[in-house]
Amino acid sequence: MTVQIDHALEEIRRFRPSPEFAAQAVADARLYQEAEGDRLAFWARQARELLQWEKPFTRTLDWSNPPFAKWFDDGELNVAVNCLDRHVDAGHGDRVALHWEGEPGDSRDVTYAQLTDEVKRAANVLTELGVGEGDRVAIYLPMIPEAVVAMLAVARIGAVHSVVFGGFSADSLASRIDDAEASLVITADGGYRKGKVFPLKPVVDEALAKAEGGTVRNVLVVRRGENDVEWDASRDHWWHETVAEASNEHEARAFGAEHPLFILYTSGTTGKPKGILHTSGGYLTQAAFTHRNVFDLHPETDVYWCTADVGWITGHSYVVYGPLANGATQVLYEGTPDTPHPGRWWEIVEKYQVSILYTAPTAIRSFMKLGRQIPHEFNLRSLRLLGSVGEPINPEAWIWYRHVIGGGSIPVVDTWWQTETGAIMISALPGITDLKPGSAQVAIPGISIDILSDDGTPVEGEGGGLLVVTEPWPSMLRGIWGDPERFKETYWEKFGDKYFAGDGARRDEDGDIWLLGRVDDVMNVSGHRLSTAEIESSLVAHPWTAEAAVVGAADETTGQAVVAFVILKASQVEHVTDVSEAAEELRRHVATQIGAIARPRQVFIVNELPKTRSGKIMRRLLRDLAEGRQVGDTTTLADTSVMTAITEQVR
Ligand code: WT7
């Protein structure tokens, strides 16, 4: 019996690529040797073969001023032309770029020719509205084709987009607009979510009233939700009255490879989100290379679907830039997975014959909970490759994904990367690499990673430590918008010339990498990054709060969940008669201040917080409590009785 189980376990630990898959695989094992032999020549070849350059580059990498890298920097290209016009020029104008599915069930197919046309019109409108090269444009849209059009139109004229996820609040939007000094906001009246229209334009109005910089001169509004909106005729413009009327003639200019393409805000260890800056040529090269090789893309036959919102980096690199640079046909879905029924995603897979699906472990785990009979009602046989991103995928979820969704024998690739890395860094190559559930496995060709101990010594062979990238890579962040010092401090101070990712990792006996989660005060909730400090400062901004501590506690579905411990102000305590109501009010407050994704799962009202003698909050102990564990070593606390008191209040 034991022998049998061991044998079964051994079997699920490793999956050989099937000969049929391997025979048609896009990736080639020789890529590893080529990149190892000459990394820079390898990336130069990818850049030349995957992209269209208006002016060819002669320099591959300039790393003379670390950590500020320049890739292909004497070359010139237009990113939007690479994603659009060149496919039309190559005769693929009739290929569907987007199978768009609205949440209420309306749908629209957009071909490469139509998308190109629409982007040209939008580019003309942006220029008419005074947006020029290098200007920042904030985009706050639902998952509709116009979101893709808006991003590409901004890129086409050499402006810089800052997409803000539609779930973020007016405050979050205002601070991002201010930080980037955006001159234009592109939004919609509203979009569909969970069967209802959620307003966007009203949030923009509120954000603009709050924004201190007063930099926004115009707001371009797509009509989608048909909800009522207020209108400021001197500032607001309807998309359907401007873009639809604009000329579809637009001559695209080429920009330098290091021209800024976008800023994307992400949470760090302080209260203020960081504006991660990405540029053009290197970013697009690695997005296109990984999209092709990690997802085994055959653009003529595949239907690809990445379920991420364009408000996150996954939506930038694997909904917009990677797939479109590769001329892929993809699904774009507006709504939630369970509206109007829990089989909605699988219905979409069946409807469009999706062959490649890229999603997050949190989604897979919620489907697991609902049971296999829901996906089994649909024909999912078109699927031939599955991908995962955002957090470690536990082996059980990996196996379920492969069996129940993938039918049992198709590759599942677990891809590790970050907003900062711009594109996939660690992943198996399907058809080449043996797959191991739970492990992200190996660096992609051309990427050099290592595991270091805290003092910077490399961990040889098997062992755990901190994940670093040891050589610059094409899609690496070029900085933090407006804050070069923070860029150096956050990623480069700890290990000098090596990029510190903030993740713990372990290398196993086969050399495969297992990600162990963040080692800093950053939480990962449903694959989205949240900062403990940002939520703490939001809680402290509430008039009732004296002190707050936030931890990420393990959660069966979302990976981690936000759990807050709050001390109320003495002056307020007498007014608060119902503790659970106070907790509810604070949860609501965080959701309004930052966005619904940041809403704490639980808020515990406590009298004290565990602190060291120097006043540092010991989050480790709070995490023990939040995860229902025996509280660990309390000897370094200034007052060791505090934890006993808190434990009683929480239980
Ligand atoms: C953090 C980056 C990259 C797109 C989504 C999140 C975690 C991401 C994995 C994975 C284990 C992962 C890491 C990383 N993460 N992918 N496959 N296995 N952990 O982007 O918001 O920039 O977060 O997500 O902790 O540092 P992000």
Side-chain angles (χ1 to χ4, degrees), residues 314 390-392 414-419 503 515 518 524 529:
T314 309
E391 52 174 314
D414 176 10
T415 62
W416 179 89
W417 58 296
Q418 310 176 296
T419 305
D503 277 7
L515 277 307
R518 302 287 308 190
N524 187 326
R529 202 196 294 193

Side-chain angles (χ1 to χ4, degrees), residues 266-267 312-314 358 361 388-393 414-421 423 426 438-440 501-504 514-518 522-524 527-530:
T266 188
S267 298
W312 310 110
I313 190 68
T314 309
Y358 190 32
S388 171
V389 63
E391 52 174 314
I393 176 164
D414 176 10
T415 62
W416 179 89
W417 58 296
Q418 310 176 296
T419 305
E420 291 87 343
T421 70
I426 304 179
S439 164
D503 277 7
W514 296 69
L515 277 307
L516 304 174
R518 302 287 308 190
V522 167
M523 296 169 288
N524 187 326
H528 300 311
R529 202 196 294 193
L530 293 172

Side-chain angles (χ1 to χ4, degrees), residues 227-268:
N227 46 315
D228 284 337
V229 291
E230 283 179 19
W231 206 254
D232 173 351
S234 68
R235 187 197 70 185
D236 301 340
H237 314 266
W238 282 113
W239 179 282
H240 63 270
E241 287 172 0
T242 50
V243 176
E245 302 298 317
S247 157
N248 65 354
E249 302 274 328
H250 186 273
E251 197 71 52
R253 245 191 73 187
F255 297 93
E258 283 297 338
H259 189 73
L261 179 61
F262 65 84
I263 305 167
L264 184 59
Y265 287 85
T266 188
S267 298

Side-chain angles (χ1 to χ4, degrees), residues 19 33 71 125 130 177 184 278 337 351 382 392 406 506 535 592-593:
Q33 283 133 38
W71 283 86
V125 170
I177 288 173
L184 172 76
H278 283 287
K351 175 173 175 184
S382 53
R506 183 171 67 81
I535 299 176
T592 353
Q593 271 225 321

Side-chain angles (χ1 to χ4, degrees), residues 52-70:
Q52 174 180 309
W53 295 83
E54 307 310 327
K55 177 171 172 260
F57 59 89
T58 62
R59 289 194 295 266
T60 299
L61 170 67
D62 176 355
W63 189 236
S64 58
N65 179 31
F68 300 94
K70 291 182 188 165

